[in-house]
């Protein structure tokens, strides 16, 4: 019964990427302009099939081979003569509008977040705070300049670009950007691109990569919040708050809770005072001091430090992207192709993640395997039904009323 439910949930999963969802986006970006055979929907299905069924890292060669697979043709309902050459796939990657897959990714991400159970901690309030938060960070991908056609130079003979991502809740990537311009080598330029000030009461969590202090003011003025670590040393304490009895976590001892004014911000805003909260803690392991800055005044010092502690989950996510999803093994070295590859990979991740959560599967790797088997069983069920219908029609022809 459990396996039957998995098959049902796999079929429902495909509704997230049904032609009814895809076609308006394809029309919006005129994605099939000049496409003779490898239309956007077929290209998308071929990538997902290859991602699900190819256990090794993807390449244009393996995707081209998968296009000849009878299993793929049956699942995609294509003619038996269909196939796609490696060169055609490369050209399609370079020219199909990446915005199509960016919007599709963001749509699925919102659904994934809504569907998730989101019970991240035994502490109900902390879970609610984490679900209200977006954790921001970037990972840098560097390749030989002989391969990569875009990016900025850090080391001689190499080019780099950034994948800047915001995650929410249970490590759900909610927004992602591929940034190739050199100005985005600074997190002060890159991470604010992930802000969504059309929404209110989001808690943005980020590390000390953002050094532009005015960013704190921008977040507060947008009716959102933040938690970060303070790098600036020039500030004035305007109030010292008393510490609670419980001032320890398993890793930190809280030693100060203060309201401060940052000198630089005060000067930039014509001496207008902007008050922030500064929580200072010491590591139990090595006595290293940490300073957490926020605009949140109604949370306990423990809740603030625990919120920032959850920032580590995005580091785990980046490691997973590179090691498990092989994000660094690019299918294209063209800017558009890189963006298409990144968004397609995130879409495949989200679909598998939803399947994993709905079926209470612990391991992502195991969920990917079970999804593969569920898709094959869907195909067998379809073939059986088609065969049964064909047999019924033959019987009617042989035994007319």
């Amino acid at each position: 019964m459990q396996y039957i439910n998995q098959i049902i949930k796999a079929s429902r999963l495909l509704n997230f990427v049904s032609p009814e969802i895809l076609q308006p986006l394809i029309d919006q970006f005129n994605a099939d302009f000049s496409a003779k055979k490898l239309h956007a929907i077929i290209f998308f299905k071929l990538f997902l099939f290859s991602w699900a069924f190819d256990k090794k890292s993807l390449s244009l060669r393996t995707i081209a081979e998968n296009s000849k697979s009878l299993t793929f043709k049956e699942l995609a309902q294509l003619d038996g003569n269909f196939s796609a050459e490696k060169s055609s796939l490369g050209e399609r990657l370079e020219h199909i509008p990446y915005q199509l897959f960016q919007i599709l990714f963001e749509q699925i991400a919102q659904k994934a977040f809504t569907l998730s159970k989101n019970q991240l901690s035994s502490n109900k309030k902390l879970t609610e705070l984490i679900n209200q938060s977006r954790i921001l960070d970037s990972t840098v991908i560097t390749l030989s300049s002989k391969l990569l056609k875009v990016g900025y130079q850090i080391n001689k003979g190499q080019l780099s670009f950034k994948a800047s991502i915001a995650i929410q809740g249970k490590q759900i990537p909610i927004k992602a950007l591929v940034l190739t311009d050199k100005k985005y080598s600074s997190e002060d330029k890159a991470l604010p691109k992930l802000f969504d000030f059309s929404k209110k009461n989001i808690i943005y969590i980020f590390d000390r990569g953002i050094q532009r202090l005015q960013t704190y003011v921008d977040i507060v003025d947008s009716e959102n919040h933040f938690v970060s670590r303070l790098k600036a040393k020039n500030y004035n304490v305007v109030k010292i708050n008393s510490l609670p009895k419980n001032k320890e976590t398993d890793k930190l001892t809280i030693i100060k809770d203060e309201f401060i004014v940052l000198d630089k911000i005060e000067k930039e805003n014509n001496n207008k005072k902007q008050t922030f909260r500064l929580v200072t803690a010491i590591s139990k392991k090595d006595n290293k001091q940490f300073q957490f800055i926020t605009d949140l005044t109604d949370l306990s010092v423990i809740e603030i430090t625990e919120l920032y502690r959850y920032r580590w989950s995005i580091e785990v996510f980046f490691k997973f992207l590179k090691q498990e999803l092989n994000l660094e093994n690019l299918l294209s070295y063209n800017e558009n192709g890189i963006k298409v590859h990144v968004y397609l990979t995130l879409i495949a991740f989200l679909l598998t993640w939803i399947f994993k959560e709905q079926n209470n599967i612990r391991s992502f790797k195991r969920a990917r395997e079970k999804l593969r088997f569920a898709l094959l069983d869907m195909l067998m069920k379809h073939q059986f039904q088609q065969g049964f219908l064909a047999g019924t029609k033959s019987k009617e022809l042989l035994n007319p009323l």
Side-chain angles (χ1 to χ4, degrees):
M1 186 67 183
Q2 182 184 7
Y3 197 66
I4 293 172
N5 286 336
Q6 287 178 358
I7 296 171
I8 293 170
K9 287 173 181 176
S11 63
R12 289 176 181 169
L13 193 67
L14 297 181
N15 290 334
F16 290 123
V17 290
S18 67
E20 290 76 16
I21 298 291
L22 285 168
Q23 196 59 55
L25 294 174
I26 293 169
D27 294 340
Q28 179 183 347
F29 295 105
N30 200 16
D32 280 336
F33 176 74
S34 77
K36 296 178 181 178
K37 182 171 66 171
L38 199 54
H39 295 102
I41 288 180
I42 297 173
F43 174 83
F44 179 67
K45 287 179 179 178
L46 181 55
F47 178 89
L48 288 185
F49 176 86
S50 299
W51 191 88
F53 286 87
D54 200 323
K55 295 181 181 179
K56 299 178 182 179
S57 60
L58 282 184
S59 68
L60 291 181
R61 181 181 59 79
T62 57
I63 296 175
E65 288 175 359
N66 285 327
S67 73
K68 301 171 186 176
S69 161
L70 292 177
T71 304
F72 167 68
K73 292 174 190 178
E74 287 284 349
L75 281 170
Q77 299 179 332
L78 293 172
D79 182 85
N81 295 321
F82 175 84
S83 66
E85 298 300 322
K86 178 182 172 181
S87 57
S88 300
L89 289 164
E91 186 177 345
R92 201 72 173 104
L93 270 168
E94 290 189 4
H95 296 101
I96 191 167
Y98 76 86
Q99 295 92 337
L100 186 166
F101 301 109
Q102 180 182 14
I103 293 173
L104 181 63
F105 152 69
E106 291 175 356
Q107 290 175 351
I108 298 172
Q110 287 296 334
K111 291 173 182 176
F113 179 69
T114 303
L115 290 170
S116 64
K117 295 172 184 175
N118 295 322
Q119 192 57 40
L120 303 168
S121 166
S122 56
N123 184 323
K124 186 177 179 181
K125 184 178 179 182
L126 184 59
T127 291
E128 290 173 355
L129 288 170
I130 291 171
N131 287 327
Q132 186 185 342
S133 303
R134 291 192 179 185
I135 304 169
L136 317 178
D137 208 349
S138 302
T139 186
V140 177
I141 296 174
T142 301
L143 293 170
S144 168
S145 56
K146 293 180 180 178
L147 294 174
L148 209 57
K149 297 178 182 177
V150 292
Y152 50 88
Q153 184 174 311
I154 297 177
N155 300 314
K156 187 177 180 180
Q158 294 181 322
L159 289 176
S160 303
F161 67 87
K162 271 187 178 179
S164 296
I165 294 179
I167 66 170
Q168 191 167 8
K170 281 186 168 183
Q171 292 186 338
I172 299 170
I174 210 82
K175 191 170 184 179
L177 296 170
V178 174
L179 304 170
T180 60
D181 195 292
K182 189 174 183 178
K183 67 180 179 181
Y184 295 119
S185 60
S186 165
E187 290 287 63
D188 276 321
K189 296 288 186 181
L191 293 188
K193 298 281 288 184
L194 296 171
F195 294 154
D196 184 358
F197 288 162
S198 67
K199 294 182 172 63
K200 309 300 178 187
N201 293 316
I202 295 173
I203 303 172
Y204 290 105
I205 303 174
F206 46 86
D207 66 10
R208 292 185 295 178
I210 290 185
Q211 298 180 33
R212 180 178 174 268
L213 301 180
Q214 185 62 33
T215 302
Y216 302 160
V217 178
D218 295 341
I219 294 171
V220 174
D221 287 348
S222 70
E223 298 178 45
N224 289 289
H225 310 283
F226 74 94
V227 177
S228 185
R229 281 181 59 198
L230 183 64
K231 194 169 184 178
K233 296 180 180 179
N234 297 322
Y235 59 85
N236 295 312
V237 178
V238 294
K239 183 182 178 183
I240 299 174
N241 302 313
S242 58
L243 292 173
K245 289 183 180 180
N246 178 22
K247 55 184 179 180
E248 293 193 6
T249 68
D250 58 334
K251 295 184 181 296
L252 297 174
T253 299
I254 314 299
I255 60 170
K256 292 180 187 176
D257 180 15
E258 304 165 312
F259 287 139
I260 66 167
V261 174
L262 293 162
D263 292 351
K264 189 174 182 181
I265 290 179
E266 189 175 359
K267 290 176 183 176
E268 288 179 357
N269 289 273
N270 298 318
N271 296 321
K272 179 184 176 183
K273 292 185 182 294
Q274 179 81 49
T275 304
F276 298 103
R277 189 178 182 187
L278 185 67
V279 175
T280 306
I282 292 178
S283 168
K284 292 181 178 180
K285 183 180 178 180
D286 55 14
N287 286 327
K288 185 178 179 181
Q289 184 170 290
F290 297 91
Q291 290 185 307
F292 305 95
I293 186 167
T294 182
D295 67 305
L296 295 164
T297 58
D298 57 345
L299 301 185
S300 71
V301 288
I302 299 296
E303 286 166 341
I304 289 169
T305 58
E306 287 298 291
L307 257 184
Y308 186 84
R309 180 181 180 179
Y310 193 68
R311 196 203 70 81
W312 183 250
S313 62
I314 199 166
E315 303 289 352
V316 176
F317 181 72
F318 281 138
K319 185 177 179 180
F320 177 82
L321 274 181
K322 291 181 176 182
Q323 294 184 358
E324 296 296 325
L325 303 187
N326 298 304
L327 190 64
E328 290 180 311
N329 295 328
L330 298 173
L331 295 175
S332 174
Y333 301 114
N334 161 278
E335 182 169 4
N336 188 81
I338 292 169
K339 291 179 178 180
V340 170
H341 180 198
V342 169
Y343 289 123
L344 285 175
T345 301
L346 290 172
I347 289 168
F349 164 79
L350 285 171
L351 293 174
T352 309
W353 187 91
I354 293 169
F355 181 78
K356 169 183 172 292
E357 291 295 302
Q358 291 191 329
N359 290 285
N360 296 312
I361 303 170
R362 289 187 178 183
S363 161
F364 183 89
K365 186 175 181 180
R366 182 64 176 154
R368 192 171 174 179
E369 290 174 355
K370 288 196 172 187
L371 178 57
R372 187 185 305 131
F373 291 134
L375 289 171
L376 287 173
D377 280 353
M378 281 172 53
L379 174 60
M380 291 174 67
K381 183 180 178 183
H382 173 73
Q383 288 175 327
F384 176 81
Q385 289 174 338
Q386 293 295 104
F388 180 79
L389 289 172
T392 303
K393 288 179 181 178
S394 298
K395 188 176 180 180
E396 290 173 352
L397 289 171
L398 291 171
N399 300 289
L401 293 175

